[in-house]
Amino acid sequence: MKRSPGPGRPARASCKRTASDPLVVQKDGIFRDVHMVLIPGGGILEKQLQIWCRKVTALGGSCRTLSSGPTTADVIDVATHIAAATTARLEQRMEKVELVGRAARAVAVSFKWLEECLASAAQVPVDNFLLREVGWYEHDKEGPTGSEQPGTAGGACPAPLMEHVTAKAASPGYEPLPLPTSGLSLPLNNSLSLDDSTNCPALSHPSPSNDRVQREGTACGVRAGSDGSDDEAGPCVRDALQARGARGGSREERLQEWMRTEVALRRQGRPREEGAETQDGCEASQYPEVDDESTLEGAEGDIPLDLNEHITRHLRELKDIYEALGDEWRALTYRRAVGVLERLSFRIASAEQLAGVMGVGQQVRDKVKEILGTGRLAKLDSLQSDAKLRVLRLFSSVFGVGAKTALELYSRGHRSLADLRGDPSLSRQAQLGLRYYEEIGAKMSRDDVARIHALVQAQAESICPGVSCEVTGSYRRGRIMCGDVDFLVTHPDGKSHRGLLARLHQRLTAIGFLMADLRSFDDDDQGGGALCQTYLGMCRLPGTDDHRRIDIKVYSAAVYACALVHFTGNEVFNRKVRFFALQTGFKLSEYGLFPVTKIGKRKFVDKTSLPCATERDVFAHLGLEYLEPHERNW
DNA sequence: CGGCTGTACTG
DNA sequence: CAGTACA
DNA sequence: GCCG
């Protein structure tokens, strides 16, 4: 294996991932010279505090929790950062301990700050995470407030900014914290001018609701016939607990922690758009309003700027190439890595900064390093200049043609799209894909989508009064340009949706709106359950002769919330959530959220979904913080 | 070293 | 069933 | 390619 990382430093340190492992301490990790005190409470579990403590320590800082007991004024004296869930918790605690006035050199931050730092592998600016003024530093206040926090200067790049004070015995244990010798000015809340309130988004901690427990009861009850009451409960409960690792105690929390980090990573820096708040039709009414509004103007604001576009564009290319080659796992890895890197709150200055960032491993870091150094990526250059590969990419960009077919077509001697047009072996879908090649590749504006929405909704309404007809997909996630329009249709009465797709399809075709069917749908078995029907096709862009991709799905109201989550996506988000669900004992699909009990090697999936009337229910059952659609652009 | 999301149409 | 597609 |  290659040992690339910088000279002089043990290669291990940088590849060792954030280190829940206190044994590996990155001496100049991102928390170098940070002396942190964590205030318990506010719903944060002691266990979580300890995890954070280990991480901070592993990343070069020192940290301790201010857990029960009177405690340790000395600790406070030398602290550089005091973190708590909320201002209230902080005040409460500090008063109790009579430390008012002592924490002169510390800045008070929300745990969110810590999470962000861990997620981005850098000390992010504390500005947006300051806890509101407490008064305990009142005495020192005159300290004029440089505007920089220790070690965060503007936050662009982390650690190196700090004066190298003491060679710092960042005691891995929990001895009294060494004093960060001077130098640091202690800015305390310089920026109180900030309008508070928004500064400290209350941490929400996914409380692992008792679903799990109940579920276990029921799931097991079914098999064992016992009521599964508590401790004694038969082997069934124990097995189930073991299966999900509750035994070791930490698996569950590691998973929660992992997911929280993933979420934090996607939320950072993203100011929340006002007004985008309630447009998702989940809150007030279970179903989206029938009159437009709900989606005509929705969550605005596409993704924030990608500060690392110079890097991600290369990695994106690699992703596309591996997709075309059918190397789905590499492609997946690159897609995830890009998703993470493009949201970093800082511009990458050194590949080292990526140590411990989830989803970015040694090999990607190496590539980042190369790009930073040379502005190019040799591997990519060679792949891009490969003529065959170019053809494969071209072919697989046709709807209906994937990696395998592309290869097949190539081996038949085809080299251009023109070559393909004559080939009768192409599937019907691929032929259509070819016919509409340009238009399928084209994007449309939100206005275009809105016009299509209005049209489809009007037709649906006239066929089936009271119908709900929402645009999902990238449009709902707030993207500025959309590659297709994605309808999720249902009827609140829970039954009128049956057979609706056929009628709608017929109508939309009759009026010359639907122009081609890329995939048809089960022509309903009316009577029974028909939870869903899906149609993929081409439609005419109103007012033009252009065509665009359109998908229409009609789902039963019973599964609407889960279907909405599914079709809102994005794909990476869906995969992550579903993976998390699996790991915590559920199976999530567009049809519901199903408890899973693992016994030995076998998995038993409940046949009935947990009740999910709204998207929020889905998140809540999983113990996840709710994410607005625009926060699901993972 | 093995898993990485879950589902549905097409041919 | 393999391949492709949808999020 | 990344992760446990």
Side-chain angles (χ1 to χ4, degrees):
Chain A
M1 288 277 156
K2 33 285 160 110
R3 288 285 106 101
S4 28
R9 180 162 330 161
R12 306 212 21 126
S14 63
C15 75
K16 190 43 192 178
R17 306 203 323 115
T18 347
S20 19
D21 180 1
L23 295 180
V24 182
V25 176
Q26 300 182 20
K27 293 205 173 169
D28 31 357
I30 62 171
F31 288 128
R32 179 169 54 130
D33 299 322
V34 167
H35 303 291
M36 199 175 308
V37 175
L38 306 181
I39 309 290
I44 301 296
L45 302 173
E46 182 64 27
K47 203 89 183 185
Q48 175 64 69
L49 297 179
Q50 284 164 14
I51 291 172
W52 280 332
C53 257
R54 283 204 304 275
K55 293 197 174 188
V56 170
T57 305
L59 289 168
S62 70
C63 180
R64 54 183 306 165
T65 67
L66 199 60
S67 299
S68 51
T71 324
T72 56
D74 52 320
V75 169
I76 299 294
D77 284 340
V78 300
T80 59
H81 294 71
I82 297 185
T86 65
T87 302
R89 297 302 307 184
L90 178 68
E91 281 180 309
Q92 191 180 333
R93 187 66 191 176
M94 297 305 278
E95 274 164 19
K96 196 165 168 188
V97 184
E98 299 180 33
L99 293 173
V100 174
R102 303 210 49 157
R105 35 184 15 105
V107 52
V109 294
S110 137
F111 288 138
K112 272 272 199 269
W113 175 77
L114 181 50
E115 290 187 300
E116 306 274 64
C117 290
L118 293 171
S120 60
Q123 261 193 53
V124 302
V126 293
D127 307 26
N128 293 322
F129 303 95
L130 294 174
L131 293 183
R132 211 154 21 124
E133 191 127 21
V134 234
W136 35 275
Y137 61 89
E138 216 59 307
H139 312 305
D140 294 271
K141 183 143 181 195
E142 30 291 320
T145 53
S147 49
E148 303 297 43
Q149 297 300 338
T152 63
C157 64
L161 294 170
M162 251 158 87
E163 293 267 68
H164 220 72
V165 212
T166 29
K168 124 100 129 353
S171 35
Y174 299 115
E175 294 91 29
L177 302 165
L179 231 170
T181 34
S182 74
L184 312 178
S185 61
L186 314 158
L188 300 183
N189 292 359
N190 45 23
S191 32
L192 282 181
S193 36
L194 291 178
D195 50 333
D196 52 58
S197 67
T198 46
N199 285 354
C200 157
L203 274 192
S204 80
H205 13 112
S207 68
S209 58
N210 30 12
D211 283 327
R212 225 179 296 296
V213 178
Q214 293 170 341
R215 182 157 43 79
E216 235 130 61
T218 54
C220 291
V222 172
R223 306 192 74 254
S226 83
D227 57 359
S229 60
D230 245 12
D231 267 343
E232 282 315 330
C236 183
V237 167
R238 254 198 312 280
D239 282 352
L241 286 173
Q242 273 198 358
R244 69 178 50 94
R247 169 196 41 168
S250 65
R251 187 179 128 95
E252 187 81 5
E253 283 164 38
R254 284 205 320 270
L255 283 164
Q256 284 287 342
E257 162 74 4
W258 169 81
M259 198 59 188
R260 288 162 60 91
T261 308
E262 292 279 2
V263 168
L265 199 50
R266 270 81 185 190
R267 283 190 143 176
Q268 70 182 316
R270 242 109 326 251
R272 268 150 95 100
E273 276 82 4
E274 308 305 334
E277 206 45 90
T278 49
Q279 70 105 32
D280 93 48
C282 249
E283 188 98 282
S285 62
Q286 177 169 354
Y287 300 98
E289 292 304 316
V290 174
D291 50 296
D292 326 344
E293 309 225 72
S294 60
T295 43
L296 271 185
E297 274 314 326
E300 203 41 72
D302 211 358
I303 50 173
L305 291 187
D306 176 1
L307 297 176
N308 295 294
E309 200 275 336
H310 58 304
I311 292 171
T312 54
R313 68 166 185 255
H314 295 282
L315 300 181
R316 243 181 240 110
E317 265 297 289
L318 274 183
K319 177 210 72 175
D320 289 342
I321 287 171
Y322 285 125
E323 268 170 8
L325 286 174
D327 190 342
E328 57 173 322
W329 300 121
R330 264 185 195 81
L332 177 60
T333 295
Y334 279 107
R335 191 174 338 168
R336 286 173 174 169
V338 167
V340 166
L341 297 186
E342 72 187 357
R343 283 176 181 74
L344 289 182
S345 59
F346 58 95
R347 188 176 168 97
I348 300 169
S350 142
E352 308 288 310
Q353 291 172 289
L354 301 179
V357 173
M358 290 198 302
V360 179
Q362 189 57 54
Q363 314 219 69
V364 169
R365 280 200 298 274
D366 287 347
K367 290 180 172 62
V368 169
K369 179 182 283 184
E370 184 184 343
I371 296 168
L372 285 173
T374 68
R376 309 207 56 81
L377 196 51
K379 170 129 184 174
L380 185 55
D381 289 340
S382 76
L383 287 171
Q384 282 174 331
S385 59
D386 183 313
K388 174 174 178 180
L389 186 47
R390 273 194 228 173
V391 175
L392 294 182
R393 284 183 71 177
L394 177 65
F395 288 177
S396 61
S397 71
V398 175
F399 181 96
V401 177
K404 305 285 184 180
T405 310
L407 201 55
E408 168 69 16
L409 293 169
Y410 183 91
S411 70
R412 285 184 204 200
H414 296 309
R415 294 294 182 270
S416 70
L417 293 187
D419 294 345
L420 300 189
R421 294 192 193 272
D423 192 325
S425 77
L426 282 187
S427 69
R428 197 188 79 92
Q429 285 184 337
Q431 292 181 29
L432 289 169
L434 217 42
R435 178 182 321 162
Y436 293 104
Y437 183 79
E438 303 291 342
E439 293 169 312
I440 288 178
K443 305 243 177 193
M444 63 195 131
S445 67
R446 293 180 65 84
D447 275 355
D448 290 335
V449 176
R451 275 193 287 275
I452 291 173
H453 179 209
L455 185 157
V456 170
Q457 174 144 327
Q459 293 300 325
E461 176 67 22
S462 82
I463 290 173
C464 179
V467 73
S468 151
C469 185
E470 180 159 18
V471 180
T472 60
S474 55
Y475 179 82
R476 182 158 185 259
R477 294 197 311 272
R479 305 316 283 249
I480 287 169
M481 299 298 287
C482 307
D484 68 351
V485 201
D486 231 316
F487 285 96
L488 181 54
V489 179
T490 191
H491 196 291
D493 73 9
K495 53 188 185 199
S496 302
H497 67 282
R498 289 186 205 149
L500 177 58
L501 185 53
R503 282 178 287 154
L504 187 55
H505 173 259
Q506 194 170 9
R507 169 72 71 85
L508 293 175
T509 302
I511 64 173
F513 173 70
L514 290 183
M515 305 299 292
D517 304 337
L518 292 170
R519 187 168 110 184
S520 203
F521 44 91
D522 243 351
D523 219 0
D524 73 333
D525 36 347
Q526 296 270 354
L531 285 174
C532 89
Q533 296 178 298
T534 298
Y535 166 83
L536 311 185
M538 298 299 300
C539 69
R540 188 197 296 270
L541 196 51
T544 75
D545 287 327
D546 281 358
H547 303 93
R548 291 292 184 270
R549 283 278 292 100
I550 181 174
D551 297 352
I552 306 175
K553 300 104 175 173
V554 178
Y555 272 67
S556 145
V559 301
Y560 186 75
C562 287
L564 187 54
V565 170
H566 172 81
F567 289 113
T568 298
N570 65 6
E571 183 203 325
V572 172
F573 171 80
N574 282 350
R575 293 171 82 138
K576 276 268 160 54
V577 172
R578 287 166 184 215
F579 180 77
F580 176 76
L582 269 186
Q583 299 306 310
T584 50
F586 301 93
K587 188 181 76 144
L588 175 64
S589 79
E590 60 267 50
Y591 296 119
L593 178 59
F594 306 91
V596 175
T597 309
K598 197 171 162 189
I599 298 176
K601 279 190 172 180
R602 290 192 185 159
K603 285 185 178 180
F604 299 88
V605 181
D606 277 22
K607 285 174 188 164
T608 51
S609 168
L610 295 178
C612 296
T614 67
E615 285 189 303
R616 283 180 191 278
D617 295 334
V618 180
F619 285 85
H621 281 310
L622 290 170
L624 296 175
E625 196 177 354
Y626 178 72
L627 294 176
E628 299 292 341
H630 73 272
E631 294 175 312
R632 305 179 206 165
N633 287 306
W634 289 25

